Amino acid sequence: MRTLVCLEERDGGVVYQRTERMPVAPGKRPCHNRYVGAAVKLADRLFLIDHETLNGHEITQTILFPSFQSQVTRLTGLKMGVADNSERMPCCVRVVYQRLDEQTSLREALAQCGLLALGDPSLDAALLAAIQNDIAAGEYHFRARH
């Protein structure tokens, strides 16, 4: 799933909004979930905690870290929360945050959001490896990947 996250500095802190765009059925308008939260940088990690504003059923926490390369365009990490359905089962997924080009408009960015097939040409191999939700040989717990 591709979502849009907008961070901004406000009153000495960092707040953000995360917007999900989910297709309901072909030909129908997509539904949107909107999350608001706060971000804190601690050492080389970015901690985000937010809540869903429309139905009030979710709180999520995301922990991100840089690739430690000279130019950081992606942050990888884990997001934990509850599934947005009637079961509300706690779950955890790998995530990648990628900085958008300064020329990308808000409308263009939102249009790119939604569910993507694993074979989508906009998803490169490094991104797919970083978000695959499996436990590889030698891994003993679910952890983020570079």
Side-chain angles (χ1 to χ4, degrees), residues 61-116:
Q61 181 180 5
T62 304
I63 303 171
L64 301 166
F65 64 98
S67 61
F68 302 106
Q69 296 176 350
S70 61
Q71 185 176 358
V72 176
T73 57
R74 288 181 174 169
L75 300 173
T76 59
L78 296 175
K79 180 176 89 164
M80 186 173 74
V82 295
D84 187 23
N85 58 29
S86 61
E87 186 181 36
R88 298 186 64 237
M89 184 63 69
C91 57
C92 182
V93 295
R94 291 186 175 101
V95 295
V96 173
Y97 279 40
Q98 181 169 315
R99 184 182 177 113
L100 290 178
D101 183 303
E102 300 279 336
Q103 307 306 316
T104 305
S105 73
L106 180 58
R107 185 178 297 275
E108 291 171 316
L110 280 171
Q112 294 175 28
C113 293
L115 292 176
L116 302 173

Side-chain angles (χ1 to χ4, degrees), residues 7-146:
L7 291 106
E8 66 179 80
E9 194 170 354
R10 188 182 302 157
D11 299 327
V14 177
V15 296
Y16 69 97
Q17 178 175 308
R18 182 168 57 90
T19 305
E20 293 179 347
R21 185 174 181 260
M22 298 293 294
V24 177
K28 301 266 185 177
R29 284 187 61 167
C31 72
H32 293 81
N33 288 334
R34 190 173 136 244
Y35 302 79
V36 294
V40 175
K41 183 179 179 292
L42 184 61
D44 58 359
R45 301 291 188 261
L46 185 60
F47 295 82
L48 300 111
I49 187 161
D50 60 41
H51 71 281
E52 206 282 326
T53 63
L54 301 176
N55 62 29
H57 292 163
E58 276 187 87
I59 291 179
T60 68
Q61 181 180 5
T62 304
I63 303 171
L64 301 166
F65 64 98
S67 61
F68 302 106
Q69 296 176 350
S70 61
Q71 185 176 358
V72 176
T73 57
R74 288 181 174 169
L75 300 173
T76 59
L78 296 175
K79 180 176 89 164
M80 186 173 74
V82 295
D84 187 23
N85 58 29
S86 61
E87 186 181 36
R88 298 186 64 237
M89 184 63 69
C91 57
C92 182
V93 295
R94 291 186 175 101
V95 295
V96 173
Y97 279 40
Q98 181 169 315
R99 184 182 177 113
L100 290 178
D101 183 303
E102 300 279 336
Q103 307 306 316
T104 305
S105 73
L106 180 58
R107 185 178 297 275
E108 291 171 316
L110 280 171
Q112 294 175 28
C113 293
L115 292 176
L116 302 173
L118 288 176
D120 189 298
S122 69
L123 304 175
D124 60 68
L127 175 69
L128 289 172
I131 62 170
Q132 188 166 347
N133 290 314
D134 64 348
I135 297 179
E139 290 182 332
Y140 299 100
H141 55 279
F142 196 73
R143 53 181 279 151
R145 293 187 175 143
H146 293 281

